[in-house]
Amino acid sequence: MRPVSILSILVLLTLAAACTRPTEDPAPGDVAAAEVPAPAGREVRVETLLIEPTDFEDVIQQTGAVEANNDATLSAQSGGTLDFLLPLGSRVRKGDVLARLDADLVQATLEQARAQLEVARAQYALADGLYGRQEALYRDSIISDLEFDNVRSQRIQAQAGLSRTEAAVRQAEKQLENTHITAPFGGTVEEHFVEEGEQVLPGSPVLRLVNTGLVRVAAGVPERYAGEVVAGSPVRARFQAAGIEERTGTVGFAGQVVDPSNRTFRIEVNLSNADGRLKPAM
């Protein structure tokens, strides 16, 4: 009977241990409510921070290309043989002659027009003097209306001939001027399209003149930034070429039209290029 009694006691102890096992963890609210407060007199250090609004930069990164503000392909306004052409790399000022066409024929035409102008001036002076004398006689009724009308007609014809020859001289002078291609702005000769001795037709390109003292960076900005990127927005430009430092500027032009092919609008940023290190298409 003793072994049975020992087994019964072990079963009872096991059941008693199972009855005293805790139930599921209480809810967080119950635990907080059951927490014992800190002992009286204990210091709790806290750190406070005053929240205030502040500014920040929203940066939009875009890839653009350098363009020269002054970049012109100059053409001949008259035809002829190219006699003179400045070498590549030549630096010029506004008004300097960049190229010149053979002007012998035009020069001869101008000299002929000037000679005709002298004749026309003499004829007009003669007709005008006669008109002045006949006018006095006409007022005194010494000559008839028909005679005075003839004198007046001769003066009108002489005046018309003078105006016509003056126009011919101006036209010949303009043709002679057109045999010279001059610089519309200061810059550098960057490209030749013809060589000395070649025949040039009116309107055909002769050379390219570029001024890189002031350049612009053109880029396409996604249309979702249309309300944020406007004229005057600050810009920082970085370049892949070694040794060129970051440059700052502002948006000088923000397009109002979106390109349907890529959903962007064009912006232009003017940058100073006094050192000439920024090159078009960079």
Side-chain angles (χ1 to χ4, degrees):
M1 296 298 294
R2 180 174 299 176
V4 174
S5 299
I6 293 174
L7 180 60
S8 299
I9 294 172
L10 290 176
V11 171
L12 290 175
L13 289 176
T14 302
L15 291 176
C19 292
T20 59
R21 183 176 300 167
T23 60
E24 295 180 3
D25 295 335
D30 297 336
V31 172
E35 286 179 354
V36 179
R42 179 180 177 183
E43 293 183 356
V44 179
R45 296 184 178 275
V46 297
E47 182 179 356
T48 62
L49 179 64
L50 180 61
I51 304 300
E52 294 180 347
T54 185
D55 296 331
F56 67 94
E57 281 190 342
D58 186 8
V59 178
I60 303 170
Q61 290 189 346
Q62 296 298 131
T63 301
V66 177
E67 298 177 355
N69 283 15
N70 294 320
D71 187 345
T73 298
L74 305 182
S75 303
Q77 295 184 355
S78 63
T81 304
L82 188 64
D83 276 352
F84 167 75
L85 185 63
L86 273 181
L88 294 177
S90 299
R91 295 182 179 274
V92 298
R93 294 176 296 180
K94 182 178 180 179
D96 288 349
V97 176
L98 307 177
R100 184 177 62 246
L101 303 178
D102 180 15
D104 291 344
L105 182 59
V106 179
Q107 184 67 43
T109 303
L110 176 59
E111 292 175 358
Q112 181 180 5
R114 286 173 175 172
Q116 294 175 350
L117 177 60
E118 293 300 324
V119 174
R121 284 173 176 172
Q123 292 175 346
Y124 175 75
L126 180 62
D128 187 59
L130 179 61
Y131 175 82
R133 292 189 298 271
Q134 295 296 320
E135 185 179 23
L137 296 177
Y138 177 73
R139 286 197 303 265
D140 294 337
S141 300
I142 297 177
I143 61 174
S144 65
D145 292 344
L146 180 59
E147 291 174 322
F148 183 68
D149 287 343
N150 289 333
V151 172
R152 181 166 52 189
S153 177
Q154 293 175 4
R155 180 176 181 270
I156 292 174
Q157 291 178 4
Q159 186 176 18
L162 177 60
S163 299
R164 185 169 54 252
T165 53
E166 287 176 343
V169 169
R170 289 194 298 269
Q171 181 179 6
E173 289 176 343
K174 183 61 177 176
Q175 289 176 345
L176 181 61
E177 180 183 342
N178 289 344
T179 61
H180 296 72
I181 300 176
T182 58
F185 50 82
T188 305
V189 178
E190 288 290 334
E191 190 173 359
H192 289 164
F193 300 105
V194 293
E195 298 298 334
E196 292 185 10
E198 292 187 21
Q199 288 291 324
V200 177
L201 297 177
S204 60
V206 175
L207 56 86
R208 179 186 179 191
L209 182 66
V210 180
N211 184 354
T212 58
L214 185 65
V215 298
R216 61 176 176 260
V217 174
V221 177
E223 62 179 332
R224 63 179 178 272
Y225 298 114
E228 301 177 32
V229 180
V230 297
S233 297
V235 175
R236 293 196 303 269
R238 300 186 181 95
F239 303 91
Q240 294 181 350
I244 299 182
E245 69 283 355
E246 177 181 288
R247 305 194 182 191
T248 59
T250 58
V251 175
F253 167 78
Q256 301 299 311
V257 179
V258 174
D259 186 347
S261 64
N262 54 18
R263 311 309 304 174
T264 65
F265 62 95
R266 179 183 173 92
I267 66 167
E268 294 180 359
V269 182
N270 292 325
L271 297 176
S272 176
N273 189 34
D275 56 5
R277 302 186 66 183
L278 299 182
K279 302 182 183 300
M282 183 177 288

